[in-house]
Amino acid sequence: MIDNGNILELRITDSKCISSFRYDKEKKILRVTFCHGGYYDYADIDERLVRSWMKAESKGKFFNREIRKLGR
């Protein structure tokens, strides 16, 4: 994990579909990069949710349960 002031970044090595994410604390934008190379930006995401995701045992399950629906 990289916590560089306004930016949180994490490379995810144990997920079959998500390779990394980058969170801009100031803009509250979460960019999720997928293993196939595409990405999706989620707006107005609370930092507490991102930090919970970072601690989750299964990043993929947490993403599917808590974050994916926020993009709709």
Side-chain angles (χ1 to χ4, degrees):
M1 177 197 65
I2 298 171
D3 187 346
N4 186 10
N6 278 339
I7 303 295
L8 289 174
E9 292 184 84
L10 182 67
R11 293 245 179 253
I12 300 172
T13 58
D14 60 347
S15 175
K16 294 178 182 175
C17 63
I18 301 168
S19 64
S20 65
F21 73 76
R22 183 176 193 271
Y23 178 68
D24 185 315
K25 297 176 192 178
E26 187 175 295
K27 296 178 183 177
K28 292 187 161 190
I29 295 175
L30 173 66
R31 172 169 284 182
V32 179
T33 303
F34 298 96
C35 293
H36 61 72
Y39 67 87
Y40 194 90
D41 289 337
Y42 295 85
D44 199 29
I45 302 298
D46 190 276
E47 184 177 344
R48 289 176 297 184
L49 179 64
V50 175
R51 291 198 178 271
S52 293
W53 188 21
M54 294 170 79
K55 295 176 185 175
E57 186 174 324
S58 171
K59 305 295 189 279
K61 287 180 183 177
F62 187 95
F63 172 78
N64 286 327
R65 187 180 65 241
E66 302 293 335
I67 297 172
R68 177 169 278 178
K69 63 186 174 192
L70 301 175
R72 296 184 179 154

